Amino acid sequence: MTEKTKAPAWFEHALAQRPESRFVLADGARLHYLGWGLEHASRPGLLFVHGYRAHAHYWDFIAPCFADRYRVAAIDLAGMGDSERRPAYSAASFAADIAAVIADAGLGPAAVVGHSFGGARALRAAADFPDRIRHVVAIDSICRFADSPPSSAAPPRRPRLDPYPDFASARARYRLTPEQPCDNDFLLDHVARFSLRPQGQGWIWKFDSGLPPGPHEPDMEGLLRGLEIPVDYVRGEFSTVIRPQDAERIVACLRHGRGPVVIPQAYHYLMLDQPLALVAALRALLARP
């Protein structure tokens, strides 16, 4: 068995900046979000949005790196993390979730950083709520076009519905989708811990097993072309989700687009395999005038 990677000082320092936990009611669902430095009313707002079946704690070691200059929040979208489930989900409802947290946390007009599924939802939110979002950074996000070929990505695994008998056995089943190399065991352990909740005598995944798989919008070209705000696109060099030509086409549709910015040696989950490189890139992109 390989020895687990020791958590470095930067990670421990980030986690020491504990966020406050807040809730807001949006379209009948109680949404959860985390906040860092929300008391600093004069600072600009910054919201982080997670990917499919993920949660706000994916940003626990990224978001604090921005709390010295921004009021920062990270959302649990409906049906994921510690937010309530809905009977049905749509691109529009997820966009409304993002807008609700921006309003409740007093972030607007906010910069929004979204990973994968979350980046596409942030772009929809920018189109639907232009007064609340001033800048979007989309990270390895799929934006479908009418003529896009069928996705080569494997469909999401069917989640186990019965509770695992204990946390250890549940943690042992935690997998990234799509799977990828990740040497940072301490980061995987962290996000896995917040992906589970106790139920009865066992443990079960937090996300709603009824979440619809993608594509959540079959054609985003018109949306992208209509955006008036700055949008930056970031891609992992070794991503199996977004091909170079996909990222280039997305940026070409944007009136005020920049990128693709390619993070070297990164796969799809950039915050897990190249966290400090991602922080550096985001700092530069968010400083955009």
Side-chain angles (χ1 to χ4, degrees):
M1 177 182 278
T2 56
E3 185 177 348
K4 288 207 168 189
T5 310
K6 184 180 186 305
W10 69 262
F11 173 75
E12 300 293 355
H13 176 71
L15 291 195
Q17 300 178 58
R18 296 188 180 278
E20 58 179 305
S21 186
R22 292 188 177 186
F23 291 88
V24 58
L25 192 65
D27 194 23
R30 189 168 181 254
L31 303 179
H32 173 253
Y33 67 96
L34 303 171
W36 294 261
L38 296 179
E39 69 276 12
H40 298 293
S42 62
R43 294 179 182 175
L46 173 60
L47 177 68
F48 287 91
V49 186
H50 60 78
Y52 184 68
R53 290 181 174 175
H55 48 76
H57 290 282
Y58 269 75
W59 303 109
D60 280 353
F61 42 90
I62 302 291
C65 299
F66 299 87
D68 60 336
R69 296 189 178 185
Y70 300 88
R71 285 168 293 138
V72 184
I75 184 176
D76 279 331
L77 292 168
M80 291 171 268
D82 294 318
S83 288
E84 286 185 341
R85 302 177 178 190
R86 286 198 170 101
Y89 304 91
S90 68
S93 69
F94 288 124
D97 291 347
I98 291 170
V101 167
I102 289 173
D104 190 71
L107 303 180
V112 181
V113 175
H115 173 246
S116 191
F117 171 88
R121 304 291 74 78
L123 292 167
R124 166 54 63 186
D128 292 354
F129 303 92
D131 59 322
R132 298 193 190 180
I133 297 178
R134 61 179 175 82
H135 183 183
V136 171
V137 181
I139 303 172
D140 230 61
S141 296
I142 297 175
C143 295
R144 301 286 296 175
F145 297 93
D147 61 350
S148 295
S151 174
S152 60
R157 295 183 181 88
R158 279 182 66 87
R160 173 170 165 159
L161 301 180
D162 296 330
Y164 293 89
D166 51 53
F167 179 84
S169 59
R171 167 63 186 94
R173 296 299 302 160
Y174 181 78
R175 299 287 187 276
L176 297 175
T177 304
E179 291 193 44
Q180 67 170 62
C182 184
D183 295 330
N184 298 322
D185 297 313
F186 57 95
L187 296 183
L188 284 174
D189 283 344
H190 181 79
V191 299
R193 179 161 62 91
F194 287 100
S195 299
L196 292 152
R197 62 178 173 84
Q199 179 171 296
Q201 299 300 311
W203 291 79
I204 197 165
W205 305 114
K206 285 184 176 180
F207 63 80
D208 184 354
S209 61
L211 284 169
H216 296 266
E217 297 191 69
D219 186 6
M220 293 185 67
E221 183 171 359
L223 184 155
L224 295 173
R225 293 192 182 279
L227 290 174
E228 296 287 354
I229 61 168
V231 177
D232 293 309
Y233 194 92
V234 178
R235 175 182 175 271
E237 180 183 13
F238 300 144
S239 173
T240 60
V241 173
I242 300 296
R243 302 172 300 173
Q245 60 266 37
D246 298 328
E248 289 163 6
R249 184 175 182 183
I250 291 167
V251 174
C253 288
L254 297 163
R255 296 184 187 184
H256 308 289
R258 187 164 58 176
V261 177
V262 180
I263 304 296
Q265 304 294 303
Y267 290 80
H268 180 60
Y269 292 88
L270 292 81
M271 73 285 288
L272 298 180
D273 57 21
Q274 296 295 335
L276 296 183
L278 178 61
V279 167
L282 291 176
R283 281 177 172 169
L285 294 172
L286 291 170
R288 171 179 181 157

